Amino acid sequence: MLKWLCAALAMVAFALNSLLNREALAGLHLDSWSFAFIRTFSGAVMLLILDKIIPVKRSYNAVQASISWWGAIALSTYMLGFSLAYVQLDAGIGALLLFSAVQFTMIAYAVFVAKERFSLWQWLMLAAALGAFVALVRPSNGAIAISGAAMMVIAGVAWGVYSILGKGAEPRTATRIHFTRSALIMMPIAAVALLFFDDRVWTEKGFMLAVTSGAITSALGYSLWYFVVARIKTSQASIMQLSVPPIALVLGALLLQERLSQDTIFLCAILLGAILAFTLLRYRQ
């Protein structure tokens, strides 16, 4: 019972990341560069505190993961793309695009690197998901800003790469190290960006939204999720993550008064349904 409660809380936390980011940027409470840096820095601090309170046994894989900076670079790309995208995207749509890009990245890795073979039905579901995704982000679809969608896709690809790089490592240790290094990477980037761009915004509310996103819904959310993943099947974990975009869509409508057209809702349903069917077929196979 505890693991399912933790799983539900983790999914809500992931969805809330989108709402917190969107509220800060759309409400002009904080600029995207500052939000990304504060989120990463506060996440690193919270993970360091957790590591002191609940020590993790160090393993060879954990130490090995800590050596590489590629994970930190991928995490920084995700953080920046995520925040820059939410200048233009609604919370729910952003979560859907992010999740889809992550899945497509992982599938591409399975096909081209791991040489995994898919059945005909899997290819059909993948084609349906990709078709719905392209239709959703096409320039003629006025409901979604193409530049915002592009930034979120970049963020999703980066998160997919980050996930692949982290395979075999002790999750919490690797995440803490990558968050810390990502904060170091983004500090000069954010400083330079704020010097040369005129979109500087800073309010106490925006600062608190970024800290909440980093320390609570990111650091604690990831920790809860790692607790769950160690106790359920991989297929269950993959399917469970499908709940994040719908949760973000519902919470965005309730809390941020975001609205979707019927065509957008239809394409979202096809995209999520096709990825769900693909996932079920993959693990059944």
Side-chain angles (χ1 to χ4, degrees), residues 2-162:
L2 178 61
K3 67 182 179 182
W4 299 119
L5 176 61
C6 290
L9 289 174
M11 295 304 99
V12 172
F14 294 162
L16 285 175
N17 267 327
S18 294
L19 271 74
L20 291 167
N21 207 319
R22 177 59 178 166
E23 171 63 17
L25 300 178
L28 299 179
H29 301 299
L30 197 65
D31 60 84
S32 53
W33 304 97
S34 298
F35 191 101
F37 171 69
I38 295 170
R39 178 188 175 192
T40 309
F41 181 80
S42 58
V45 172
M46 177 59 78
L47 288 167
L48 180 61
I49 293 172
L50 284 176
D51 208 30
K52 296 298 183 182
I53 297 174
I54 311 173
V56 178
K57 290 183 178 180
R58 299 296 188 267
S59 65
Y60 173 74
N61 283 334
V63 175
Q64 194 176 41
S66 71
I67 295 173
S68 173
W69 279 80
W70 288 112
I73 292 171
L75 180 62
S76 300
T77 304
Y78 154 73
M79 289 289 191
L80 288 171
F82 189 83
S83 291
L84 291 169
Y86 273 127
V87 174
Q88 298 175 300
L89 296 179
D90 286 347
I93 287 295
L96 180 69
L97 295 178
L98 175 74
F99 166 81
S100 302
V102 172
Q103 293 299 310
F104 288 139
T105 301
M106 301 291 280
I107 291 169
Y109 175 83
V111 172
F112 296 109
V113 180
K115 305 298 182 182
E116 186 174 330
R117 293 174 179 264
F118 294 157
S119 68
L120 176 60
W121 280 108
Q122 285 176 293
W123 283 113
L124 289 174
M125 292 302 101
L126 183 57
L130 187 58
F133 182 82
V134 171
L136 194 62
V137 300
R138 70 188 188 280
S140 59
N141 185 359
I144 299 178
I146 188 64
S147 57
M151 292 307 301
M152 190 58 83
V153 169
I154 291 172
V157 171
W159 186 256
V161 171
Y162 176 75

Side-chain angles (χ1 to χ4, degrees), residues 204-248:
E204 184 178 344
K205 180 178 180 179
F207 176 79
M208 292 308 300
L209 287 169
V211 169
T212 302
S213 177
I216 307 301
T217 56
S218 291
L220 293 184
Y222 296 161
S223 298
L224 278 175
W225 183 236
Y226 294 147
F227 171 81
V228 173
V229 167
R231 290 162 175 79
I232 63 176
K233 296 178 180 178
T234 304
S235 57
Q236 289 177 315
S238 298
I239 293 169
M240 198 174 294
Q241 291 183 80
L242 284 167
S243 65
V244 176
I247 292 171

